[in-house]
Structures are given as C-alpha cells and as structure tokens.
Amino acid sequence: MSFDRNPNALTRKEKYRWVKYGGYHPIVWFLIMGTAITRTASFMSLPFLAIYLSKFLNLDPLLVGITLGMSGLTGSMGGFIGGYLSDRWGRQRIMLFSFFVWTGVFFGFLFADSFWSFLILNSLNGLCRAFFEPSSQALMADVSTPKQRLKIFSYRYIAINIGMVTGPMLGSLLFGTLGLAIFLYTGMIYAVYFLLLCIFLFLHHHDLRKAQESDPNHTRFRECWRTIRQDQALRYFVLAGVLFFMVYSQIESSLPLYLATQSGTMDHLFPILLSINAAMVILLQAFITRWVENKHILTSLIIGTLLSAGGLLSFALGNQDAAFITGVVLITFGEILIFPISSLFIDRIAKDGMRGTYYGANNLGQLGLFLGPILGGLLLHYFGGETLWWMMAFLTMHLILFHAMGYRAFSKKQGVTILDIVRRVLIDLRLITPIKTIMKSVPLLSLTFLCLLLPYSLFEQGIEGPPRSQTVEVTIPEHATVGDVGRELEIQKIIQNHRFFPLYAEGYSLFHSFSIQPGTYRIEPDMDLQEVMAVLSRGTFQVDIPDGATVEKIAELLEDHGISKQEVYEAANQTDYHFSFLRDIPTNPRPYRLEGYMVPGSYEFNRGVEAEEIIQVILERFEALMTQEVRTRLRQGNLSMDQWVTVASILELQASDQNPKPSQAREIYDRLNRGGIIELPPLPSPYSNLNYSQTEGLPPGPLNNPGTESLNAALYPKNHTAGQEKGND
C-alpha cells in the first residue's frame, strides 16, 4: 500500500536525497533533537511544581492533583483540534504559534501566585503540547517514506526518555537554590529553540510546503470529526491507548506509594527503577526497532502487551527488590514495542490530508494519564497493592483485543482476511511448525491420555477404602517412605490395600504436586482419596496454647500460621458446634462465648485449615474432659459447668507459689457462700475494661481458658466440713 498519495508530496527521490543526513530530511533530526532538549527543559521544572504548590502555596493534595492533572486532561482533549488545524492551516503555522505560547507559559509560571493562575498555566501547558507534538509528528511523516517512519518514531521516543532522565537530574540540583525561578531557565531554553525553529522552517519552507498533504478544499471541522468518529480502527486504537496509559501511569503514581509499604525493598528503589526504565529505552530502542521492522504490527503489539502484563504480575507476586526490577524490565520491553508501533499504525490509517488530525485524535489516549492515577489510588487504598497489580495485568491483556479489533477494521478495507493476519502473526512468532506438530499429535495424545486416565480412575476406585463416619488421625513420621504411608492409611481404613498405594501415588504425582510431609493429620470422613493426598502434601503446623490463654492470645498464636484473628474471634462466638456441653453455657452477654472451653495444650493442624475446624478440634478435648465422674462431682458440689470453669479461670490469674490451687479454690467458694466480694488481679484484654476486678459473686463467664490443673483444683478444692454449699466436697 502506498502512503504518499498526494501528488504534491515529495517524491521518493526527493526524500532520499538527504544521504548525508542518513537519508532523513534535516527537519526530522532538528525536531528529534529539539524533543530531547525541550523535554529536558520541561522535566527540569515541571516535576517540582507539586513540591512548590504544596510547600509554598500550602495547597492540599486534592488541589495539587487537580492542578497537575489538568495538563494531561487538556493535552488529551486538545490534540484533535491542534492536529486538525495543522492539516487546514499548515504544520508550520500551528507549530510556531503553539510553541510561542508554550514559551510564554513557562515564563508565566514565574509570576503565578495563586491556585487559579497555576491551574490556567498548566492547562495551557498541556494544550500547547497537544497542538505542537501531533503537528511535528505529522511534519516528520510528511518528509519521510513509510519505511523510515518506524525508525523516526523510535528515535523520537528515545529523545523523550533522554529528557526524562536528564531533566529531573538537573532540576534536583537547581530547584533547591532557585525555587520557582527554575522556570526562567526552562523558558529561556524554549525561547532559543523557538528562534532556531523559525530559522529552520524558513530555510526548508519550500520542501515543507510541498511535502504537506494539504486538502485544497479544506475539509470542514464537522466533516473531519465525522470521519474520525466513523473510523473504527482509530477508535479501537484510541481505546487501547487510554487503557495502556491508565496502566502505565501506575509506575509514577501508585508504584512509589506501594514500595513504601514493602519491608523487603531498599529505601531508594523507586529512583533506581525509573533509571532502569529510561536507560533501557535509550540503549535498546534502536536495536528492537530494527528487529520489528519486518514483523507484522500485531506481532509487536501482542508481544509488548504480554511483556507488560508479565511485569505487572511480577509486582503482584513479589515483595523483594528483584521482583520489582524484573517487573520494570519487562514493562520497559513492552513499552519499547507498543509506543512506536502504535504511532506507526496511526500513520498508516490516516486519510488524505488528515495526518495531523489523526495524530491529534490519537492523543485522546493520553486521557488514561488523567484517569489512571485516580483508579490506581482507589484500588491501592481500598484493596491493597497486590490486587492493584493483578487488576492492572488483567486490564493490560485487553490491549490485545483492542489492537486486534482495530487492525481487523483497517485490514477489511484493504481486502485482507483474518486468516491472513493470524498466519502472518504466527509466522513472526515462529509458531507455525509447533502448531502443525501439535495438531498432528492430537489424536495420538488423546488416545494415550484416555488409555492412562481410564485405568487410573478405575484403580483409584479400587484402592479407596469403604465409607467412614468418624474423623481419624494419620501420623506420618520423619523419613517415612511411600510404603509406610500406605500402611498407615490402611490401618486407618482410608485405603484397602497398602501394597498398591506406591503405584497410586506415582500416578497421582503425574497430575498433581505431591510430596509427603511428616506430621499428624486429621482426615475428615467426607474426604476422598485425592483430598487426602492433597492434605498429606501440604504438611502440618503445631501450636502450643499455654494455660490461662485468652481467646485473643490464641488468635495471636494462630495468626503466625496464616489464620486471621477475625476468623478466630468469629469462630469462638459460633453456636453450631455439635457438642453436648455447649447447651450448658449460659446465654448471658460475654466477649467470647467459648472463652474457658478452649483447652490449652499442644495441637497439630493441617496446613490450610479453617478457623472453625481449629476450634472444633480444641473443643473436642473439653468434651473428653466432661466425663460422667465430672458431671457427678459438679452436681454434688452444687456447681454449674460454667461456674466451675469460671473459678478455674480465676485460679489461673492468681499466684500459687505459696498457696496451692485447691486451697485458693476453697477460699473462693467460701467467699461465694458468704456473699462476699471476689477480688481479682489485673485482667487481660478484653476483660480489663469490663469492671470485673471487684465483683460480688462470680464474673458473667470465664476470664481465660484454664488448664487441667486449675480445672481439677476447682473441681476438687481443699476439704471443707460445711453443709450443702457451692464447692462442697
């Protein structure tokens, strides 16, 4: 397809006559070098605007964010108008006018002294950039061949990154001493470049006037807007641009905030990541551009999208320096592929006399720079950094869809079928041969899989034991073999024959990750054999609950093993555990219903266990304590179960070095029988705030979870000769 459709445009011979300039028109090199110089000047001052607004004008973060965001907003919205005007009135006029105003904007920052003045100036900053850059891009395309444009866009992107690296470095040196006066130097650099631009455009005005694809009928703005609006390919690529910039903006907005919360990262990691990003673009852009020159547009965009998504996943999965460095490296490779290729595609779909308009319309994608920090901030605040990066990776993958739909809309007009596009992309990715090999192997692989799976399923059904109604414990000692595990499973009636278990385990390991971990496992009756194998692979953890531990202390111990405190608190207040003794717990208000009944001791749990299952196991021990002898003893002493446990919890709080616990228990019962006050020592949370320290009678419920020594002392206090009273022998 030919892209130099205007008969007044430069011929190939004219475009290639600039051999001493590498085959490119001198204006191309002038604009690329000017991009590096002006971006350096702007990045020397604009990044420090937020500091000035916050520190010297005392603006709150919202007003600072609005002021800075206006540049991106006006830049995205004004690009279409600036591009249209460059097509109608000429590139040179729009470039000179916008750059002249742009220079004045930087001088204007020197005299700004209020929120509104900075807001207006930064809005004009974005608007001038939106007018100048699409016009300059279109001008470079006008004086070059389609084959040269990919390299031109790549060189321009390198120039932008040079400015992003050198500008902040210079600004950090100057802002501390100059303050807002740094904008004077930026304005002076822009003024000098403006004069040079006037001279350069004048020297080459003949070539430039001839090269521009102007429409002699001057397409009206309404017709131009209708054309842009009806161009499906452009719409999809603009949507892809919005999405990409939303994701890419997280590098400068959300990433530094997220890094500040990561304990495994170095203090100055973020500046290092930015340096890696810019250095890679500067050093690798030319080499990667050379590689993609002969590749299909979609090939580069798909690879770039996958690399960017991989980088974001690296942020989500890791919390160490290496993970973030890897992520930035992958994202940088992705942007090196996506940015120039997107510009090249816009150049290809631009209609006659509307190249500037198309470049300007593509600027709408930069709306993502305005929306991205808002979305990222909300996700980071409400859902955390890991969710943010997973969501950004998910959104990034949609770039493939938008780019593919955009290219499909363009290719339909060229008579190119979907199969042609897919075939070319697969050739670029060198996937044709592997796909053919896989397709030829599908029947054989399917037959092999069926032959393996069917006998394996029958074998699994044959080895599995009969249905069980009780929870059993399986103990796997250190250095146990697969045969040892099989014998233990057979003893517990989980399998029928241990001799076949090694063969089953070998087959199971083909489809699942399987590595037997030593420990004592609880196997519920509803677990099938595959679930048992999964439990044995996860391992166990051990918790030692000390005598007198409260529910909150137990929750802290379990939190070290990945169990949420809140889940433990909720489980300790549930009423649907199936133990007979729970019916005897009063329904009066208390912080935790099961406080007192979670028997201390050493426990071993399967990894991945839920909080309710843990409480269930602990309550089983109390159920075992409630023997007929204990119930008879409580009736003889005229005690309820809850009173007994409450007294035992008080014994846990009192020192027993000189006075044995049975004697202390007798003293407590004597006070109760006399209607006296039970003096309690300082209580743990949450009971310290409930005025239990001096109470007539017993507290409403147990104050902790007493051990067996205290329970026995409360059940068998020191002998007493009184009549039928509480705690009487």
Side-chain angles (χ1 to χ4, degrees):
M1 176 181 177
S2 173
F3 298 97
D4 295 312
R5 293 160 289 205
N6 193 299
N8 294 324
L10 292 176
T11 64
R12 284 181 182 270
K13 182 177 179 181
E14 289 174 312
K15 289 179 179 179
Y16 278 118
R17 66 191 172 115
W18 307 101
V19 177
K20 62 181 178 179
Y21 298 104
Y24 299 95
H25 195 286
I27 195 65
V28 171
W29 293 118
F30 178 78
L31 291 174
I32 289 174
M33 288 187 292
T35 298
I37 295 171
T38 54
R39 284 300 177 104
T40 298
S42 61
F43 277 108
M44 183 175 70
S45 54
L46 287 174
F48 301 94
L49 185 58
I51 299 174
Y52 183 85
L53 294 175
S54 176
K55 187 174 181 180
F56 295 99
L57 288 189
N58 297 317
L59 298 183
D60 60 55
L62 176 61
L63 294 179
V64 172
I66 292 174
T67 304
L68 298 179
M70 286 304 297
S71 173
L73 184 61
T74 57
S76 62
M77 306 304 290
F80 170 73
I81 299 174
Y84 167 76
L85 294 177
S86 77
D87 287 330
R88 185 181 179 105
W89 293 345
R91 317 275 188 236
Q92 299 96 306
R93 291 180 182 177
I94 299 303
M95 288 171 62
L96 291 175
F97 173 75
S98 61
F99 206 86
F100 177 77
V101 177
W102 205 357
T103 302
V105 166
F106 284 105
F107 283 118
F109 278 117
L110 283 170
F111 305 101
D113 58 359
S114 66
F115 163 71
W116 290 107
S117 58
F118 279 104
L119 183 73
I120 294 171
L121 286 169
N122 208 34
S123 300
L124 287 173
N125 169 44
L127 197 61
C128 291
R129 185 180 68 249
F131 273 49
F132 180 81
E133 292 193 347
S135 302
S136 64
Q137 282 183 272
L139 182 61
M140 289 190 287
D142 291 341
V143 297
S144 60
T145 63
K147 190 174 181 180
Q148 292 175 323
R149 288 169 193 163
L150 176 59
K151 285 188 176 180
I152 290 174
F153 297 143
S154 298
Y155 294 151
R156 179 178 177 273
Y157 191 56
I158 292 173
I160 291 174
N161 278 272
I162 290 174
M164 291 178 63
V165 173
T166 56
M169 292 173 59
L170 292 173
S172 63
L173 296 174
L174 298 175
F175 183 77
T177 56
L178 297 176
L180 203 61
I182 196 172
F183 283 99
L184 173 63
Y185 290 88
T186 301
M188 291 173 61
I189 293 172
Y190 268 63
V192 172
Y193 184 74
F194 172 73
L195 294 175
L196 294 175
L197 181 64
C198 293
I199 295 171
F200 229 83
L201 292 178
F202 175 77
L203 292 175
H204 299 282
H205 71 280
H206 175 73
D207 291 338
L208 302 181
R209 187 173 62 252
K210 185 177 181 181
Q212 184 177 342
E213 298 175 355
S214 58
D215 185 355
N217 296 320
H218 293 306
T219 305
R220 294 182 179 179
F221 181 81
R222 183 180 301 175
E223 296 173 359
C224 191
W225 171 249
R226 187 184 303 117
T227 301
I228 291 293
R229 190 180 59 189
Q230 294 174 352
D231 194 320
Q232 288 187 341
L234 177 64
R235 286 210 308 269
Y236 283 124
F237 264 71
V238 168
L239 287 174
V242 172
L243 193 59
F244 182 76
F245 280 115
M246 282 178 62
V247 173
Y248 188 74
S249 66
Q250 307 308 316
I251 303 298
E252 294 187 2
S253 59
S254 299
L255 182 59
L257 300 177
Y258 180 63
L259 288 175
T261 66
Q262 301 301 299
S263 58
T265 60
M266 68 177 89
D267 293 338
H268 303 292
L269 180 60
F270 182 63
I272 294 174
L273 296 180
L274 292 183
S275 300
I276 291 173
N277 172 263
M280 285 182 62
V281 172
I282 294 170
L283 296 175
L284 300 179
Q285 182 73 67
F287 297 102
I288 294 179
T289 299
R290 192 175 301 120
W291 178 79
V292 303
E293 277 182 328
N294 298 319
K295 299 292 186 295
H296 194 276
I297 281 180
L298 279 184
T299 302
S300 302
L301 294 175
I302 290 173
I303 295 175
T305 299
L306 293 175
L307 289 171
S308 298
L312 294 164
L313 289 178
S314 182
F315 290 170
L317 297 174
N319 58 1
Q320 301 296 319
D321 294 346
F324 293 107
I325 292 173
T326 301
V328 164
V329 168
L330 292 175
I331 291 172
T332 304
F333 275 120
E335 71 170 276
I336 288 174
L337 290 167
I338 292 175
F339 273 117
I341 294 297
S342 298
S343 297
L344 179 65
F345 180 76
I346 298 301
D347 180 80
R348 288 192 177 183
I349 66 174
K351 300 184 183 301
D352 292 340
M354 294 178 60
R355 181 176 287 144
T357 305
Y358 268 73
Y359 281 133
N362 190 47
N363 260 25
L364 288 169
Q366 295 187 21
L367 188 62
L369 294 175
F370 178 74
L371 300 175
I374 299 174
L375 175 62
L378 291 173
L379 289 173
L380 188 62
H381 179 72
Y382 289 104
F383 301 101
E386 186 174 337
T387 301
L388 165 66
W389 302 123
W390 277 105
M391 180 62 70
M392 290 300 118
F394 175 74
L395 292 177
T396 300
M397 293 303 296
H398 286 74
L399 290 176
I400 295 177
L401 175 65
F402 288 131
H403 285 145
M405 294 175 70
Y407 194 86
R408 171 58 181 155
F410 168 69
S411 62
K412 283 175 65 175
K413 299 177 182 179
Q414 316 303 316
V416 180
T417 65
I418 294 179
L419 289 178
D420 292 332
I421 298 172
V422 172
R423 183 175 180 278
R424 176 59 193 276
V425 171
L426 292 177
I427 290 174
D428 286 344
L429 298 176
R430 298 185 179 181
L431 293 177
I432 293 292
T433 301
I435 289 175
K436 287 182 177 179
T437 303
I438 292 173
M439 295 300 293
K440 291 177 181 178
S441 304
V442 166
L444 179 61
L445 292 173
S446 300
L447 182 61
T448 303
F449 183 75
L450 185 63
C451 291
L452 290 173
L453 185 61
L454 185 60
Y456 179 78
S457 300
L458 296 174
F459 181 62
E460 182 180 38
Q461 295 175 12
I463 193 177
E464 194 162 10
R468 292 171 284 111
S469 60
Q470 299 293 326
T471 298
V472 297
E473 288 191 350
V474 174
T475 300
I476 309 296
E478 288 278 355
H479 310 299
T481 64
V482 177
D484 297 334
V485 175
R487 278 186 284 273
E488 176 67 13
L489 294 178
E490 184 179 2
I491 292 172
Q492 301 299 337
K493 302 188 182 306
I494 296 172
I495 63 174
Q496 299 186 49
N497 193 320
H498 72 273
R499 294 181 178 86
F500 295 109
F501 181 73
L503 183 60
Y504 171 79
E506 189 68 28
Y508 179 87
S509 64
L510 295 176
F511 304 98
H512 309 83
S513 176
F514 179 63
S515 175
I516 295 174
Q517 305 293 324
T520 299
Y521 300 86
R522 288 174 53 84
I523 306 300
E524 304 294 336
D526 58 346
M527 286 185 179
D528 60 26
L529 189 52
Q530 288 202 22
E531 290 175 317
V532 172
M533 298 293 281
V535 167
L536 297 181
S537 297
R538 285 197 292 265
T540 63
F541 65 90
Q542 185 168 319
V543 176
D544 294 315
I545 301 176
D547 292 351
T550 62
V551 168
E552 294 188 358
K553 176 61 178 178
I554 295 173
E556 289 179 8
L557 295 173
L558 293 173
E559 188 179 35
D560 295 336
H561 300 282
I563 311 297
S564 166
K565 281 185 180 181
Q566 189 60 38
E567 292 178 4
V568 176
Y569 298 154
E570 292 173 0
N573 274 319
Q574 288 189 11
T575 59
D576 54 355
Y577 299 103
H578 302 294
F579 297 106
S580 59
F581 72 85
L582 294 178
R583 295 193 297 269
D584 298 329
I585 300 178
T587 57
N588 60 328
R590 54 183 68 187
Y592 301 104
R593 181 171 182 267
L594 299 179
E595 185 82 88
Y597 302 92
M598 298 170 65
V599 181
S602 182
Y603 294 88
E604 191 169 8
F605 300 106
N606 304 341
R607 292 201 177 277
V609 68
E610 299 291 336
E612 291 82 358
E613 299 175 61
I614 292 175
I615 303 300
Q616 173 86 15
V617 173
I618 296 176
L619 294 179
E620 285 177 2
R621 292 200 183 178
F622 193 89
E623 175 82 351
L625 290 176
M626 290 299 295
T627 62
Q628 188 59 43
E629 178 187 351
V630 170
R631 294 181 184 276
T632 300
R633 182 68 181 173
L634 291 176
R635 284 196 298 271
Q636 292 174 351
N638 194 26
L639 282 172
S640 70
M641 178 190 68
D642 200 58
Q643 289 173 329
W644 166 48
V645 177
T646 301
V647 171
S649 71
I650 295 174
L651 295 178
E652 288 291 353
L653 296 172
Q654 295 180 341
S656 59
D657 297 337
Q658 298 177 349
N659 196 5
K661 287 188 176 183
S663 298
Q664 294 182 35
R666 171 51 57 203
E667 292 176 6
I668 293 174
Y669 290 132
D670 288 344
R671 287 179 181 272
L672 291 174
N673 292 329
R674 295 195 302 266
I677 294 176
I678 305 297
E679 294 185 0
L680 300 175
L683 300 177
S685 175
Y687 305 102
S688 56
N689 300 323
L690 298 180
N691 298 321
Y692 289 170
S693 296
Q694 286 192 346
T695 178
E696 191 172 312
L698 290 174
L703 305 174
N704 54 55
N705 294 282
T708 54
E709 181 185 0
S710 295
L711 288 169
N712 287 332
L715 190 64
Y716 298 100
K718 185 178 178 181
N719 291 336
H720 194 278
T721 58
Q724 187 70 13
E725 296 175 332
K726 285 187 184 294
N728 199 15
D729 289 335

